[in-house]
Amino acid sequence: GNSVTQMEGPVTLSEEAFLTINCTYTATGYPSLFWYVQYPGEGLQLLLKATKADDKGSNKGFEATYRKETTSFHLEKGSVQVSDSAVYFCALTTSDGKYIFGTGTRLKVLA
Amino acid sequence: DAMVIQNPRYQVTQFGKPVTLSCSQTLNHNVMYWYQQKSSQAPKLLFHYYDKDFNNEADTPDNFQSRRPNTSFCFLDIRSPGLGDAAMYLCATSSQTGVVRATQYFGPGTRLLVL
């Protein structure tokens, strides 16, 4: 079946550090892949997406590349800020358009 | 700005007392979703509407119902809330369904507390 696996959190970094949050998936067919961010007490905001292999999604300094050969969609940012502290969800869409979410990774950035 | 709006942001209800959460959207999207999210967990899909066509997830309890009177509005009714229904409820919309590229846009959520 379809599934998404994210690295366990929390991830704690100092400001300006490099961020990687790992996401791997299992899917039949060719899913689209997404990263969402959830700030405390808020809904999910779309951060970036990629719809086919080798696509790179990017937004607000975050990037992720759809790697079909390794079934991965790792989230990266070169220099994190305190304001990036949030929970990050990786997700894929199935052929019927429904989302399969990962369990979420909490990021804490310290000043 | 086009958006998904949820009201209220916080809702307190009593055990067993019916409660309704509302969602509206200015995106003119065909599809509206309701998710339940418990603390430190991923959102769990309860059901969705494609236009007026209602689609229930197999494991959604009968206690949860939904109404969509028009394109813009969708309601979540919890007929007899239990303590286990305390959660964040998220509404999302999409312009497509049944399509692998469908992107969902979420509202800010309503946090439900059951006393």
mmCIF file of all heavy atoms in Angstrom, chain A residues 42-80:
data_model
loop_
_atom_site.group_PDB
_atom_site.id
_atom_site.type_symbol
_atom_site.label_atom_id
_atom_site.label_comp_id
_atom_site.label_asym_id
_atom_site.label_seq_id
_atom_site.Cartn_x
_atom_site.Cartn_y
_atom_site.Cartn_z
ATOM 1 N N GLU A 42 -2.177 26.336 14.491
ATOM 2 C CA GLU A 42 -2.630 26.738 13.160
ATOM 3 C C GLU A 42 -2.907 25.520 12.281
ATOM 4 O O GLU A 42 -2.597 24.385 12.651
ATOM 5 C CB GLU A 42 -1.571 27.612 12.479
ATOM 6 C CG GLU A 42 -1.270 28.901 13.200
ATOM 7 C CD GLU A 42 -2.442 29.864 13.145
ATOM 8 O OE1 GLU A 42 -3.173 29.870 12.137
ATOM 9 O OE2 GLU A 42 -2.635 30.598 14.136
ATOM 10 N N GLY A 43 -3.498 25.778 11.113
ATOM 11 C CA GLY A 43 -3.704 24.721 10.131
ATOM 12 C C GLY A 43 -2.437 24.444 9.351
ATOM 13 O O GLY A 43 -1.372 24.983 9.656
ATOM 14 N N LEU A 44 -2.564 23.593 8.336
ATOM 15 C CA LEU A 44 -1.411 23.248 7.514
ATOM 16 C C LEU A 44 -1.277 24.233 6.358
ATOM 17 O O LEU A 44 -2.252 24.552 5.686
ATOM 18 C CB LEU A 44 -1.576 21.831 6.943
ATOM 19 C CG LEU A 44 -1.130 20.671 7.818
ATOM 20 C CD1 LEU A 44 -1.986 20.545 9.056
ATOM 21 C CD2 LEU A 44 -1.145 19.374 7.021
ATOM 22 N N GLN A 45 -0.054 24.671 6.138
ATOM 23 C CA GLN A 45 0.224 25.550 5.005
ATOM 24 C C GLN A 45 1.083 24.798 4.000
ATOM 25 O O GLN A 45 2.085 24.185 4.380
ATOM 26 C CB GLN A 45 0.975 26.803 5.473
ATOM 27 C CG GLN A 45 0.194 27.680 6.432
ATOM 28 C CD GLN A 45 1.016 28.881 6.886
ATOM 29 O OE1 GLN A 45 1.958 29.296 6.214
ATOM 30 N NE2 GLN A 45 0.664 29.421 8.035
ATOM 31 N N LEU A 46 0.700 24.873 2.750
ATOM 32 C CA LEU A 46 1.504 24.244 1.709
ATOM 33 C C LEU A 46 2.842 24.954 1.614
ATOM 34 O O LEU A 46 2.909 26.166 1.417
ATOM 35 C CB LEU A 46 0.774 24.320 0.368
ATOM 36 C CG LEU A 46 1.516 23.746 -0.832
ATOM 37 C CD1 LEU A 46 1.715 22.245 -0.675
ATOM 38 C CD2 LEU A 46 0.751 24.048 -2.115
ATOM 39 N N LEU A 47 3.915 24.199 1.736
ATOM 40 C CA LEU A 47 5.254 24.770 1.659
ATOM 41 C C LEU A 47 5.812 24.621 0.249
ATOM 42 O O LEU A 47 6.295 25.574 -0.353
ATOM 43 C CB LEU A 47 6.167 24.082 2.666
ATOM 44 C CG LEU A 47 7.580 24.629 2.828
ATOM 45 C CD1 LEU A 47 7.568 26.096 3.208
ATOM 46 C CD2 LEU A 47 8.338 23.803 3.879
ATOM 47 N N LEU A 48 5.750 23.402 -0.290
ATOM 48 C CA LEU A 48 6.201 23.167 -1.652
ATOM 49 C C LEU A 48 5.665 21.816 -2.127
ATOM 50 O O LEU A 48 5.204 21.015 -1.327
ATOM 51 C CB LEU A 48 7.732 23.222 -1.748
ATOM 52 C CG LEU A 48 8.549 22.355 -0.772
ATOM 53 C CD1 LEU A 48 8.696 20.941 -1.280
ATOM 54 C CD2 LEU A 48 9.930 22.959 -0.540
ATOM 55 N N LYS A 49 5.770 21.614 -3.443
ATOM 56 C CA LYS A 49 5.295 20.350 -3.990
ATOM 57 C C LYS A 49 6.079 19.993 -5.237
ATOM 58 O O LYS A 49 6.765 20.846 -5.832
ATOM 59 C CB LYS A 49 3.806 20.434 -4.323
ATOM 60 C CG LYS A 49 3.480 21.377 -5.460
ATOM 61 C CD LYS A 49 1.982 21.373 -5.756
ATOM 62 C CE LYS A 49 1.646 22.245 -6.947
ATOM 63 N NZ LYS A 49 0.180 22.243 -7.241
ATOM 64 N N ALA A 50 5.993 18.714 -5.637
ATOM 65 C CA ALA A 50 6.594 18.240 -6.879
ATOM 66 C C ALA A 50 5.691 17.163 -7.446
ATOM 67 O O ALA A 50 5.182 16.315 -6.695
ATOM 68 C CB ALA A 50 7.996 17.689 -6.628
ATOM 69 N N THR A 51 5.459 17.211 -8.724
ATOM 70 C CA THR A 51 4.473 16.313 -9.311
ATOM 71 C C THR A 51 5.073 15.209 -10.164
ATOM 72 O O THR A 51 4.354 14.294 -10.577
ATOM 73 C CB THR A 51 3.464 17.104 -10.155
ATOM 74 O OG1 THR A 51 4.180 17.812 -11.181
ATOM 75 C CG2 THR A 51 2.683 18.084 -9.304
ATOM 76 N N LYS A 52 6.367 15.261 -10.446
ATOM 77 C CA LYS A 52 6.965 14.167 -11.206
ATOM 78 C C LYS A 52 8.433 14.027 -10.838
ATOM 79 O O LYS A 52 9.047 14.922 -10.246
ATOM 80 C CB LYS A 52 6.806 14.392 -12.701
ATOM 81 C CG LYS A 52 7.458 15.628 -13.266
ATOM 82 C CD LYS A 52 7.140 15.748 -14.744
ATOM 83 C CE LYS A 52 7.904 16.891 -15.385
ATOM 84 N NZ LYS A 52 7.565 18.197 -14.832
ATOM 85 N N ALA A 53 8.985 12.878 -11.208
ATOM 86 C CA ALA A 53 10.370 12.557 -10.864
ATOM 87 C C ALA A 53 11.319 13.644 -11.344
ATOM 88 O O ALA A 53 11.157 14.191 -12.435
ATOM 89 C CB ALA A 53 10.739 11.212 -11.464
ATOM 90 N N ASP A 54 12.295 13.959 -10.462
ATOM 91 C CA ASP A 54 13.353 14.943 -10.690
ATOM 92 C C ASP A 54 12.866 16.392 -10.574
ATOM 93 O O ASP A 54 13.688 17.304 -10.681
ATOM 94 C CB ASP A 54 14.054 14.740 -12.029
ATOM 95 C CG ASP A 54 14.716 13.371 -12.126
ATOM 96 O OD1 ASP A 54 15.196 12.880 -11.092
ATOM 97 O OD2 ASP A 54 14.712 12.795 -13.227
ATOM 98 N N ASP A 55 11.583 16.596 -10.343
ATOM 99 C CA ASP A 55 11.098 17.950 -10.070
ATOM 100 C C ASP A 55 11.678 18.430 -8.755
ATOM 101 O O ASP A 55 11.782 17.665 -7.797
ATOM 102 C CB ASP A 55 9.564 17.963 -9.944
ATOM 103 C CG ASP A 55 8.871 18.297 -11.238
ATOM 104 O OD1 ASP A 55 9.553 18.472 -12.264
ATOM 105 O OD2 ASP A 55 7.631 18.385 -11.210
ATOM 106 N N LYS A 56 11.982 19.717 -8.696
ATOM 107 C CA LYS A 56 12.395 20.321 -7.431
ATOM 108 C C LYS A 56 11.344 21.343 -7.048
ATOM 109 O O LYS A 56 11.059 22.263 -7.820
ATOM 110 C CB LYS A 56 13.755 20.991 -7.562
ATOM 111 C CG LYS A 56 14.206 21.707 -6.289
ATOM 112 C CD LYS A 56 15.484 22.507 -6.487
ATOM 113 C CE LYS A 56 16.697 21.629 -6.439
ATOM 114 N NZ LYS A 56 17.963 22.411 -6.421
ATOM 115 N N GLY A 57 10.784 21.194 -5.853
ATOM 116 C CA GLY A 57 9.892 22.208 -5.306
ATOM 117 C C GLY A 57 10.705 23.134 -4.423
ATOM 118 O O GLY A 57 11.648 22.704 -3.751
ATOM 119 N N SER A 58 10.350 24.418 -4.424
ATOM 120 C CA SER A 58 11.084 25.353 -3.576
ATOM 121 C C SER A 58 10.167 26.498 -3.164
ATOM 122 O O SER A 58 9.259 26.894 -3.903
ATOM 123 C CB SER A 58 12.314 25.901 -4.296
ATOM 124 O OG SER A 58 11.935 26.601 -5.454
ATOM 125 N N ASN A 59 10.429 27.019 -1.969
ATOM 126 C CA ASN A 59 9.632 28.115 -1.435
ATOM 127 C C ASN A 59 10.273 28.600 -0.145
ATOM 128 O O ASN A 59 10.666 27.789 0.702
ATOM 129 C CB ASN A 59 8.191 27.660 -1.161
ATOM 130 C CG ASN A 59 7.284 28.789 -0.723
ATOM 131 O OD1 ASN A 59 7.507 29.950 -1.054
ATOM 132 N ND2 ASN A 59 6.247 28.450 0.002
ATOM 133 N N LYS A 60 10.398 29.896 0.011
ATOM 134 C CA LYS A 60 10.905 30.515 1.251
ATOM 135 C C LYS A 60 12.249 29.939 1.681
ATOM 136 O O LYS A 60 12.520 29.807 2.880
ATOM 137 C CB LYS A 60 9.893 30.339 2.385
ATOM 138 C CG LYS A 60 8.545 30.974 2.119
ATOM 139 C CD LYS A 60 7.597 30.756 3.293
ATOM 140 C CE LYS A 60 6.242 31.354 3.007
ATOM 141 N NZ LYS A 60 5.289 31.126 4.120
ATOM 142 N N GLY A 61 13.089 29.567 0.750
ATOM 143 C CA GLY A 61 14.404 29.024 1.082
ATOM 144 C C GLY A 61 14.419 27.525 1.297
ATOM 145 O O GLY A 61 15.488 26.923 1.413
ATOM 146 N N PHE A 62 13.241 26.894 1.336
ATOM 147 C CA PHE A 62 13.152 25.442 1.473
ATOM 148 C C PHE A 62 13.154 24.812 0.083
ATOM 149 O O PHE A 62 12.625 25.374 -0.872
ATOM 150 C CB PHE A 62 11.862 25.045 2.191
ATOM 151 C CG PHE A 62 11.819 25.408 3.639
ATOM 152 C CD1 PHE A 62 11.328 26.639 4.034
ATOM 153 C CD2 PHE A 62 12.257 24.516 4.603
ATOM 154 C CE1 PHE A 62 11.282 26.981 5.376
ATOM 155 C CE2 PHE A 62 12.212 24.838 5.949
ATOM 156 C CZ PHE A 62 11.722 26.085 6.333
ATOM 157 N N GLU A 63 13.749 23.615 0.006
ATOM 158 C CA GLU A 63 13.772 22.878 -1.258
ATOM 159 C C GLU A 63 13.566 21.394 -0.991
ATOM 160 O O GLU A 63 13.928 20.884 0.082
ATOM 161 C CB GLU A 63 15.137 23.029 -1.953
ATOM 162 C CG GLU A 63 15.462 24.401 -2.451
ATOM 163 C CD GLU A 63 16.789 24.413 -3.188
ATOM 164 O OE1 GLU A 63 17.597 23.471 -2.998
ATOM 165 O OE2 GLU A 63 17.023 25.363 -3.943
ATOM 166 N N ALA A 64 13.011 20.706 -1.985
ATOM 167 C CA ALA A 64 12.922 19.243 -1.931
ATOM 168 C C ALA A 64 12.877 18.736 -3.362
ATOM 169 O O ALA A 64 12.203 19.339 -4.207
ATOM 170 C CB ALA A 64 11.693 18.795 -1.161
ATOM 171 N N THR A 65 13.584 17.636 -3.623
ATOM 172 C CA THR A 65 13.634 17.065 -4.967
ATOM 173 C C THR A 65 13.001 15.693 -4.959
ATOM 174 O O THR A 65 13.297 14.853 -4.095
ATOM 175 C CB THR A 65 15.093 16.961 -5.456
ATOM 176 O OG1 THR A 65 15.672 18.273 -5.474
ATOM 177 C CG2 THR A 65 15.141 16.383 -6.869
ATOM 178 N N TYR A 66 12.128 15.452 -5.908
ATOM 179 C CA TYR A 66 11.411 14.186 -6.077
ATOM 180 C C TYR A 66 12.388 13.177 -6.666
ATOM 181 O O TYR A 66 12.744 13.259 -7.837
ATOM 182 C CB TYR A 66 10.246 14.450 -7.030
ATOM 183 C CG TYR A 66 9.223 13.367 -7.229
ATOM 184 C CD1 TYR A 66 7.884 13.718 -7.318
ATOM 185 C CD2 TYR A 66 9.547 12.025 -7.391
ATOM 186 C CE1 TYR A 66 6.894 12.773 -7.549
ATOM 187 C CE2 TYR A 66 8.583 11.075 -7.612
ATOM 188 C CZ TYR A 66 7.250 11.444 -7.705
ATOM 189 O OH TYR A 66 6.283 10.508 -7.947
ATOM 190 N N ARG A 67 12.818 12.217 -5.842
ATOM 191 C CA ARG A 67 13.793 11.216 -6.279
ATOM 192 C C ARG A 67 13.104 9.869 -6.389
ATOM 193 O O ARG A 67 12.818 9.211 -5.381
ATOM 194 C CB ARG A 67 14.930 11.101 -5.269
ATOM 195 C CG ARG A 67 15.688 12.391 -5.026
ATOM 196 C CD ARG A 67 16.717 12.637 -6.079
ATOM 197 N NE ARG A 67 17.571 13.772 -5.727
ATOM 198 C CZ ARG A 67 18.184 14.526 -6.633
ATOM 199 N NH1 ARG A 67 18.002 14.282 -7.928
ATOM 200 N NH2 ARG A 67 18.964 15.512 -6.246
ATOM 201 N N LYS A 68 12.816 9.472 -7.624
ATOM 202 C CA LYS A 68 12.093 8.218 -7.810
ATOM 203 C C LYS A 68 12.992 7.026 -7.501
ATOM 204 O O LYS A 68 12.546 6.017 -6.955
ATOM 205 C CB LYS A 68 11.568 8.149 -9.245
ATOM 206 C CG LYS A 68 10.586 7.016 -9.487
ATOM 207 C CD LYS A 68 9.914 7.177 -10.845
ATOM 208 C CE LYS A 68 8.826 6.149 -11.045
ATOM 209 N NZ LYS A 68 9.333 4.766 -10.980
ATOM 210 N N GLU A 69 14.271 7.126 -7.815
ATOM 211 C CA GLU A 69 15.165 5.987 -7.641
ATOM 212 C C GLU A 69 15.359 5.629 -6.172
ATOM 213 O O GLU A 69 15.576 4.460 -5.837
ATOM 214 C CB GLU A 69 16.518 6.245 -8.320
ATOM 215 C CG GLU A 69 17.323 7.399 -7.763
ATOM 216 C CD GLU A 69 16.900 8.769 -8.288
ATOM 217 O OE1 GLU A 69 15.843 8.876 -8.944
ATOM 218 O OE2 GLU A 69 17.650 9.740 -8.021
ATOM 219 N N THR A 70 15.266 6.641 -5.300
ATOM 220 C CA THR A 70 15.409 6.378 -3.863
ATOM 221 C C THR A 70 14.078 6.564 -3.131
ATOM 222 O O THR A 70 14.043 6.463 -1.895
ATOM 223 C CB THR A 70 16.448 7.326 -3.237
ATOM 224 O OG1 THR A 70 16.101 8.685 -3.545
ATOM 225 C CG2 THR A 70 17.842 7.033 -3.762
ATOM 226 N N THR A 71 13.030 6.784 -3.859
ATOM 227 C CA THR A 71 11.675 7.059 -3.316
ATOM 228 C C THR A 71 11.753 8.021 -2.133
ATOM 229 O O THR A 71 11.267 7.731 -1.026
ATOM 230 C CB THR A 71 10.922 5.772 -2.926
ATOM 231 O OG1 THR A 71 11.637 5.074 -1.900
ATOM 232 C CG2 THR A 71 10.745 4.865 -4.118
ATOM 233 N N SER A 72 12.360 9.167 -2.390
ATOM 234 C CA SER A 72 12.563 10.139 -1.320
ATOM 235 C C SER A 72 12.157 11.541 -1.750
ATOM 236 O O SER A 72 12.088 11.851 -2.955
ATOM 237 C CB SER A 72 14.029 10.142 -0.885
ATOM 238 O OG SER A 72 14.862 10.601 -1.939
ATOM 239 N N PHE A 73 11.898 12.374 -0.758
ATOM 240 C CA PHE A 73 11.526 13.782 -0.984
ATOM 241 C C PHE A 73 11.993 14.559 0.240
ATOM 242 O O PHE A 73 11.213 15.132 0.986
ATOM 243 C CB PHE A 73 10.013 13.876 -1.194
ATOM 244 C CG PHE A 73 9.523 15.192 -1.735
ATOM 245 C CD1 PHE A 73 10.031 15.711 -2.915
ATOM 246 C CD2 PHE A 73 8.517 15.898 -1.084
ATOM 247 C CE1 PHE A 73 9.561 16.922 -3.425
ATOM 248 C CE2 PHE A 73 8.036 17.099 -1.597
ATOM 249 C CZ PHE A 73 8.560 17.600 -2.764
ATOM 250 N N HIS A 74 13.280 14.610 0.451
ATOM 251 C CA HIS A 74 13.859 15.216 1.653
ATOM 252 C C HIS A 74 13.757 16.737 1.603
ATOM 253 O O HIS A 74 14.070 17.349 0.578
ATOM 254 C CB HIS A 74 15.326 14.818 1.801
ATOM 255 C CG HIS A 74 15.557 13.335 1.840
ATOM 256 N ND1 HIS A 74 14.704 12.453 2.467
ATOM 257 C CD2 HIS A 74 16.555 12.579 1.308
ATOM 258 C CE1 HIS A 74 15.160 11.232 2.332
ATOM 259 N NE2 HIS A 74 16.280 11.266 1.625
ATOM 260 N N LEU A 75 13.398 17.326 2.724
ATOM 261 C CA LEU A 75 13.267 18.780 2.826
ATOM 262 C C LEU A 75 14.590 19.369 3.315
ATOM 263 O O LEU A 75 15.169 18.874 4.294
ATOM 264 C CB LEU A 75 12.144 19.143 3.801
ATOM 265 C CG LEU A 75 11.852 20.626 3.977
ATOM 266 C CD1 LEU A 75 11.247 21.213 2.695
ATOM 267 C CD2 LEU A 75 10.906 20.844 5.158
ATOM 268 N N GLU A 76 15.042 20.442 2.651
ATOM 269 C CA GLU A 76 16.299 21.082 3.037
ATOM 270 C C GLU A 76 16.148 22.591 3.083
ATOM 271 O O GLU A 76 15.345 23.162 2.341
ATOM 272 C CB GLU A 76 17.408 20.721 2.027
ATOM 273 C CG GLU A 76 17.758 19.253 2.000
ATOM 274 C CD GLU A 76 18.878 18.940 1.029
ATOM 275 O OE1 GLU A 76 19.080 19.717 0.079
ATOM 276 O OE2 GLU A 76 19.551 17.903 1.219
ATOM 277 N N LYS A 77 16.935 23.197 3.952
ATOM 278 C CA LYS A 77 17.052 24.655 3.970
ATOM 279 C C LYS A 77 18.467 24.998 4.411
ATOM 280 O O LYS A 77 18.977 24.420 5.372
ATOM 281 C CB LYS A 77 16.037 25.300 4.910
ATOM 282 C CG LYS A 77 16.038 26.828 4.801
ATOM 283 C CD LYS A 77 14.978 27.480 5.664
ATOM 284 C CE LYS A 77 14.968 28.984 5.395
ATOM 285 N NZ LYS A 77 14.020 29.725 6.267
ATOM 286 N N GLY A 78 19.059 25.931 3.732
ATOM 287 C CA GLY A 78 20.460 26.234 3.974
ATOM 288 C C GLY A 78 20.746 26.929 5.289
ATOM 289 O O GLY A 78 21.802 26.737 5.894
ATOM 290 N N SER A 79 19.789 27.743 5.770
ATOM 291 C CA SER A 79 20.028 28.538 6.965
ATOM 292 C C SER A 79 18.690 28.776 7.655
ATOM 293 O O SER A 79 17.888 29.602 7.204
ATOM 294 C CB SER A 79 20.684 29.876 6.577
ATOM 295 O OG SER A 79 20.840 30.700 7.707
ATOM 296 N N VAL A 80 18.458 28.043 8.733
ATOM 297 C CA VAL A 80 17.143 28.149 9.383
ATOM 298 C C VAL A 80 17.095 29.350 10.321
ATOM 299 O O VAL A 80 18.115 29.818 10.827
ATOM 300 C CB VAL A 80 16.793 26.861 10.161
ATOM 301 C CG1 VAL A 80 16.587 25.695 9.203
ATOM 302 C CG2 VAL A 80 17.854 26.534 11.215
#
